[in-house]
Amino acid sequence: PASTIDAEVNVLNEIKAYTNGMSDFDKAIYIHDYLILNGEYDIELGEIIENTGTLTEELRKERYEKYALLVNGTGVCGSYALAYRAVLNAAGMECLYLSSDTMNHAWNMVKLDEEWYHLDLTSNKSIKDMESTIVLHTYFNLTTDQMEKTHKINDKELVHKITFDES
């Protein structure tokens, strides 16, 4: 529906306008932190995916796609990765969506200063107390070697090609 697309475009445009003039690194970290601070992991959907291994088309549209996180504020790893890619692409940056069938997980690669780095929004946590929230960046801008210590990459050929052949 048009209202769904309009709501998503409005969020993309707001973030794009706010990050206008920032360096690519500052955009990448601002958008990373924005999505973590304004989103909540959809535990119920995560359990449905884990238990059934699949999603109905209705659940995919409502709760898995980037719209779920950008507009509704909830999503699973795929929602975070799709939203991050959409916002970075709207801000003029190169960003890829990566996944692992073995892990049933998704994350991103982003190009900064002509180098590709991995980042995983749902593996990064925020710590909240009464006065503030701190976003951790444990899985922010990791090399492929660093990422492979904890993540199983589906398309290693693609990752190798973009991280080594483009340099």
Side-chain angles (χ1 to χ4, degrees):
S3 62
T4 300
I5 293 169
D6 291 343
E8 189 174 304
V9 168
N10 288 341
V11 173
L12 288 170
N13 286 336
E14 281 178 34
I15 298 170
K16 181 180 173 184
Y18 187 83
T19 60
N20 188 32
M22 289 183 179
S23 70
D24 283 352
F25 178 83
D26 288 340
K27 286 179 191 178
I29 202 159
Y30 172 81
I31 294 165
H32 170 277
D33 292 0
Y34 175 91
L35 292 175
I36 288 175
L37 292 171
N38 291 286
E40 187 174 321
Y41 192 83
D42 189 338
I43 294 170
E44 180 186 12
L45 183 60
E47 290 172 352
I48 291 169
I49 294 169
E50 191 172 314
N51 293 334
T52 66
T54 188
L55 280 176
T56 64
E57 192 58 30
E58 182 181 342
L59 273 179
R60 176 175 296 286
K61 286 179 183 175
E62 281 180 21
R63 295 171 60 185
Y64 185 87
E65 297 294 334
K66 64 184 178 280
Y67 173 86
L69 187 67
L70 291 173
V71 178
N72 297 333
T74 60
V76 293
C77 57
S79 315
Y80 278 84
L82 290 166
Y84 192 74
R85 182 182 67 184
V87 178
L88 282 183
N89 289 169
M93 295 178 61
E94 291 183 70
C95 183
L96 302 173
Y97 172 96
L98 296 180
S99 64
S100 170
D101 294 336
T102 306
M103 297 173 62
N104 198 20
H105 189 56
W107 66 95
N108 300 95
M109 285 187 82
V110 62
K111 192 173 190 178
L112 296 169
D113 297 323
E114 301 305 315
E115 299 288 332
W116 285 94
Y117 298 96
H118 294 260
L119 60 144
D120 184 348
L121 278 81
T122 52
S123 290
N124 284 329
K125 308 286 186 238
S126 61
I127 300 171
K128 299 177 185 186
D129 64 21
M130 301 274 281
E131 297 176 18
S132 64
T133 302
I134 299 169
V135 176
L136 301 178
H137 299 99
T138 308
Y139 290 90
F140 184 81
N141 288 2
L142 299 180
T143 65
T144 297
D145 287 341
Q146 291 170 318
M147 197 64 153
E148 284 186 314
K149 290 179 182 175
T150 57
H151 289 61
K152 306 289 184 226
I153 300 169
N154 275 355
D155 196 344
K156 288 186 182 183
E157 281 185 35
L158 168 70
V159 170
H160 186 272
K161 180 169 180 45
I162 64 171
T163 55
F164 296 108
D165 294 350
E166 283 194 1
S167 305

